[in-house]
Amino acid sequence: MESKQYQNISELARGTYENCDFKNCNFENSPFNHLIFIDCTFKDCNLSNVKFNDCKLDRIEFIDCKMVGTHFVNCKDFCFEVFFEGCQMDY
């Protein structure tokens, strides 16, 4: 199954994103409320200060992303699995 590609976007509609690749996206200060991500990759994205409220993150890779001020405390903990590589994660 091929992954769905998203490039250079700054907003996401409410819903489920499964087997998706996000590249060079700027989601800074975005509310990711009630979104579901399964088997997704974020590469070279700006996710600084993103609000992951009641968000499901299942097998998600963050590669070379800027994630300053982002925290995951309000994510759903069931099936919570994330991987970080080369990300800037200052808080």
Side-chain angles (χ1 to χ4, degrees):
M1 178 177 186
E2 271 192 56
S3 62
K4 182 160 182 172
Q5 305 292 313
Y6 294 90
Q7 280 194 261
N8 303 309
I9 62 171
S10 60
E11 292 182 17
L12 286 177
R14 192 172 186 178
T16 300
Y17 296 88
E18 187 168 0
N19 198 32
C20 297
D21 290 328
F22 299 91
K23 187 168 180 171
N24 296 317
C25 298
N26 185 4
F27 297 122
E28 186 172 13
N29 295 311
S30 294
F32 279 17
N33 300 327
H34 310 288
L35 296 177
I36 298 170
F37 296 97
I38 303 168
D39 294 318
C40 295
T41 300
F42 291 84
K43 183 166 175 48
D44 298 315
C45 294
N46 183 356
L47 295 148
S48 294
N49 297 308
V50 166
K51 313 296 188 274
F52 285 104
N53 294 321
D54 202 28
C55 188
K56 180 178 180 177
L57 300 174
D58 186 9
R59 296 181 306 274
I60 308 305
E61 294 182 342
F62 297 97
I63 301 169
D64 299 324
C65 292
K66 183 177 180 184
M67 304 179 78
V68 175
T70 301
H71 58 85
F72 301 92
V73 69
N74 292 323
C75 286
K76 293 184 179 192
D77 56 1
F78 183 71
C79 292
F80 180 82
E81 185 178 344
V82 294
F83 171 79
F84 303 96
E85 180 182 317
C87 294
Q88 179 184 354
M89 300 183 70
D90 302 334
Y91 187 75

